Amino acid sequence: MRRKLFLFLLVFCALSQPARVQEKQQVQPAKSTAEVQTQKPERTQPAPGSGGLTAEQFGQLSEKLSEPNGYFDSDNLISNETSYLHVMGKLRQMKLSGGAFIGVGPDQSFSYIAQIRPNIVFMVDIRRDNLLQHLLFKSLFTMSQNRLEYLCLLFGKPVPADVKAWDSRSIQDIVAYLDKTTKDQKLFDATKARVQAKVKSFGLKLDAMELDTINRIHAAFFAEGPDLKFTSKGRPSRYYYPNYRDLLLEKDLTGKQTNYLVNEDDFRFLKSLEERNLVIPVVGNLGGGHALKSIAAYLNERGEKVSAFYVSNVEFYLWRQSGSFERFVQNLKSLPIDNKSVIIRSYFNYAYYAYQHPKTVENHFSVQQFQTIESVIKDMDPTTGGYNSYYDLVTRHMVDY
């Protein structure tokens, strides 16, 4: 009897052992924050602080969010807003940080991104050329170890042998190096070839004409160097437009230089976002029916709120097209926001349509202003009557700074 009981217990233990092993395998010790942050999961929705997207996911997401190519009458290779940094002091005071950033245009958004430190970025523009220009920027970020090398590759200048020693140098020193160093055609041609190879690896479907457009954009930086200015099709550049050098050296209203290339820490933050495929270029009309709504759906799925939305002066053009501004506000309503989410805009004085803005700073043609996204939506509620004019929009609920 005892022997039968012993055999029964032996068989029972043997049969139950795999279940115990499985239970032990399922109960794993919690991973440290550092371990979680160093992982690079292959998934469509990376959690905040994760490893980001694969090249395939990046390309698919950009194409999925995008609308058909549209038209605007300028090349927009650089900004024409000398005031673009004027809101930075107030944004620092508000401690606006994290979340998702949405912007338009070329690289002026990078300075906001460097300060706000979002988890993910969407660069939205009606022109596909802007998407292509961001692929150029992305290539140069991944190819560069620091600010000086980035700018040398952008302008076709030789990279100094002691480039690493420039990490601690001021932006004035870097600009002086660019100004005194002769551009090199052979070096630039080699860089163009490297850029072409890079952009083909980013997961987007690019045809030969689009690759040529990237070359053309890059060639404009090579031809003009730091003297490059914003231009409009069929019209000369205005005398009061800043050049690339001016934008690099511009200051906020506290007297602080806050361009993203002023220090290595900001540059490396942007470089990290680009390398993790978390700066997603999108072709889209802000008053369109697809791009912003699709970004909103993606952010809701990701569990991320919009911290800031930089629109430049796009609202002016939306205001002139019947129903476009109203559709834009509907798109704003779809975005996940909180009471600190802001919309940053620019306003241009002295144009035929403009009154002088109350925030005008002497010797600046443009004015930077921002307000909460929540207040824009509330102002456009039918019960409040909406905005009376574009000027009313840019002055009614601006945050004081």
Side-chain angles (χ1 to χ4, degrees), residues 295-306:
I295 290 171
Y298 181 85
L299 291 177
N300 277 310
E301 183 183 345
R302 178 183 165 94
E304 200 82 77
K305 285 185 168 56
V306 173

PDB file of all heavy atoms in Angstrom, residues 295-306:
ATOM      1  N   ILE A 295      -2.801  61.999 -37.836  1.00  0.00           N
ATOM      2  CA  ILE A 295      -1.822  62.201 -36.768  1.00  0.00           C
ATOM      3  C   ILE A 295      -2.516  62.128 -35.411  1.00  0.00           C
ATOM      4  O   ILE A 295      -2.006  61.516 -34.461  1.00  0.00           O
ATOM      5  CB  ILE A 295      -1.096  63.550 -36.949  1.00  0.00           C
ATOM      6  CG1 ILE A 295      -0.172  63.493 -38.166  1.00  0.00           C
ATOM      7  CG2 ILE A 295      -0.295  63.913 -35.692  1.00  0.00           C
ATOM      8  CD1 ILE A 295       0.415  64.838 -38.560  1.00  0.00           C
ATOM      9  N   ALA A 296      -3.696  62.734 -35.304  1.00  0.00           N
ATOM     10  CA  ALA A 296      -4.465  62.700 -34.052  1.00  0.00           C
ATOM     11  C   ALA A 296      -4.797  61.263 -33.657  1.00  0.00           C
ATOM     12  O   ALA A 296      -4.655  60.879 -32.486  1.00  0.00           O
ATOM     13  CB  ALA A 296      -5.742  63.519 -34.204  1.00  0.00           C
ATOM     14  N   ALA A 297      -5.236  60.464 -34.629  1.00  0.00           N
ATOM     15  CA  ALA A 297      -5.572  59.070 -34.337  1.00  0.00           C
ATOM     16  C   ALA A 297      -4.338  58.305 -33.874  1.00  0.00           C
ATOM     17  O   ALA A 297      -4.404  57.502 -32.928  1.00  0.00           O
ATOM     18  CB  ALA A 297      -6.170  58.411 -35.586  1.00  0.00           C
ATOM     19  N   TYR A 298      -3.216  58.564 -34.516  1.00  0.00           N
ATOM     20  CA  TYR A 298      -1.965  57.899 -34.140  1.00  0.00           C
ATOM     21  C   TYR A 298      -1.557  58.276 -32.712  1.00  0.00           C
ATOM     22  O   TYR A 298      -1.177  57.417 -31.913  1.00  0.00           O
ATOM     23  CB  TYR A 298      -0.867  58.284 -35.127  1.00  0.00           C
ATOM     24  CG  TYR A 298       0.468  57.638 -34.856  1.00  0.00           C
ATOM     25  CD1 TYR A 298       0.774  56.360 -35.345  1.00  0.00           C
ATOM     26  CD2 TYR A 298       1.440  58.298 -34.112  1.00  0.00           C
ATOM     27  CE1 TYR A 298       1.995  55.771 -35.093  1.00  0.00           C
ATOM     28  CE2 TYR A 298       2.671  57.711 -33.855  1.00  0.00           C
ATOM     29  CZ  TYR A 298       2.942  56.457 -34.343  1.00  0.00           C
ATOM     30  OH  TYR A 298       4.165  55.863 -34.091  1.00  0.00           O
ATOM     31  N   LEU A 299      -1.638  59.569 -32.385  1.00  0.00           N
ATOM     32  CA  LEU A 299      -1.252  60.016 -31.048  1.00  0.00           C
ATOM     33  C   LEU A 299      -2.207  59.484 -29.984  1.00  0.00           C
ATOM     34  O   LEU A 299      -1.775  59.146 -28.870  1.00  0.00           O
ATOM     35  CB  LEU A 299      -1.199  61.540 -31.001  1.00  0.00           C
ATOM     36  CG  LEU A 299      -0.074  62.192 -31.808  1.00  0.00           C
ATOM     37  CD1 LEU A 299      -0.176  63.720 -31.748  1.00  0.00           C
ATOM     38  CD2 LEU A 299       1.292  61.739 -31.303  1.00  0.00           C
ATOM     39  N   ASN A 300      -3.481  59.409 -30.309  1.00  0.00           N
ATOM     40  CA  ASN A 300      -4.436  58.836 -29.353  1.00  0.00           C
ATOM     41  C   ASN A 300      -4.122  57.370 -29.093  1.00  0.00           C
ATOM     42  O   ASN A 300      -4.191  56.895 -27.955  1.00  0.00           O
ATOM     43  CB  ASN A 300      -5.866  58.993 -29.885  1.00  0.00           C
ATOM     44  CG  ASN A 300      -6.450  60.358 -29.592  1.00  0.00           C
ATOM     45  OD1 ASN A 300      -6.409  60.829 -28.458  1.00  0.00           O
ATOM     46  ND2 ASN A 300      -6.982  61.024 -30.614  1.00  0.00           N
ATOM     47  N   GLU A 301      -3.773  56.650 -30.144  1.00  0.00           N
ATOM     48  CA  GLU A 301      -3.400  55.243 -29.979  1.00  0.00           C
ATOM     49  C   GLU A 301      -2.124  55.112 -29.152  1.00  0.00           C
ATOM     50  O   GLU A 301      -1.982  54.214 -28.333  1.00  0.00           O
ATOM     51  CB  GLU A 301      -3.199  54.613 -31.362  1.00  0.00           C
ATOM     52  CG  GLU A 301      -2.879  53.120 -31.324  1.00  0.00           C
ATOM     53  CD  GLU A 301      -2.612  52.556 -32.708  1.00  0.00           C
ATOM     54  OE1 GLU A 301      -2.939  53.216 -33.715  1.00  0.00           O
ATOM     55  OE2 GLU A 301      -2.046  51.446 -32.776  1.00  0.00           O
ATOM     56  N   ARG A 302      -1.215  56.045 -29.360  1.00  0.00           N
ATOM     57  CA  ARG A 302       0.065  56.032 -28.655  1.00  0.00           C
ATOM     58  C   ARG A 302      -0.060  56.517 -27.208  1.00  0.00           C
ATOM     59  O   ARG A 302       0.783  56.241 -26.368  1.00  0.00           O
ATOM     60  CB  ARG A 302       1.041  56.927 -29.436  1.00  0.00           C
ATOM     61  CG  ARG A 302       2.421  57.091 -28.846  1.00  0.00           C
ATOM     62  CD  ARG A 302       3.237  58.063 -29.693  1.00  0.00           C
ATOM     63  NE  ARG A 302       4.419  58.525 -29.001  1.00  0.00           N
ATOM     64  CZ  ARG A 302       5.626  57.981 -29.117  1.00  0.00           C
ATOM     65  NH1 ARG A 302       5.797  56.946 -29.901  1.00  0.00           N
ATOM     66  NH2 ARG A 302       6.658  58.465 -28.451  1.00  0.00           N
ATOM     67  N   GLY A 303      -1.146  57.268 -26.924  1.00  0.00           N
ATOM     68  CA  GLY A 303      -1.321  57.816 -25.582  1.00  0.00           C
ATOM     69  C   GLY A 303      -0.470  59.038 -25.338  1.00  0.00           C
ATOM     70  O   GLY A 303       0.018  59.271 -24.224  1.00  0.00           O
ATOM     71  N   GLU A 304      -0.321  59.870 -26.383  1.00  0.00           N
ATOM     72  CA  GLU A 304       0.554  61.037 -26.310  1.00  0.00           C
ATOM     73  C   GLU A 304      -0.253  62.300 -26.571  1.00  0.00           C
ATOM     74  O   GLU A 304      -1.096  62.333 -27.478  1.00  0.00           O
ATOM     75  CB  GLU A 304       1.632  60.905 -27.392  1.00  0.00           C
ATOM     76  CG  GLU A 304       2.854  61.745 -27.173  1.00  0.00           C
ATOM     77  CD  GLU A 304       3.830  61.100 -26.212  1.00  0.00           C
ATOM     78  OE1 GLU A 304       4.547  60.171 -26.613  1.00  0.00           O
ATOM     79  OE2 GLU A 304       3.861  61.547 -25.042  1.00  0.00           O
ATOM     80  N   LYS A 305      -0.015  63.341 -25.791  1.00  0.00           N
ATOM     81  CA  LYS A 305      -0.689  64.616 -26.006  1.00  0.00           C
ATOM     82  C   LYS A 305       0.223  65.574 -26.770  1.00  0.00           C
ATOM     83  O   LYS A 305       1.441  65.498 -26.656  1.00  0.00           O
ATOM     84  CB  LYS A 305      -1.097  65.240 -24.668  1.00  0.00           C
ATOM     85  CG  LYS A 305      -2.312  64.576 -24.025  1.00  0.00           C
ATOM     86  CD  LYS A 305      -2.733  65.308 -22.773  1.00  0.00           C
ATOM     87  CE  LYS A 305      -4.102  64.846 -22.281  1.00  0.00           C
ATOM     88  NZ  LYS A 305      -4.172  63.405 -22.042  1.00  0.00           N
ATOM     89  N   VAL A 306      -0.389  66.484 -27.503  1.00  0.00           N
ATOM     90  CA  VAL A 306       0.374  67.508 -28.220  1.00  0.00           C
ATOM     91  C   VAL A 306       0.818  68.571 -27.222  1.00  0.00           C
ATOM     92  O   VAL A 306      -0.001  69.147 -26.501  1.00  0.00           O
ATOM     93  CB  VAL A 306      -0.474  68.157 -29.329  1.00  0.00           C
ATOM     94  CG1 VAL A 306       0.270  69.338 -29.961  1.00  0.00           C
ATOM     95  CG2 VAL A 306      -0.845  67.125 -30.392  1.00  0.00           C
TER      96      VAL A 306
END
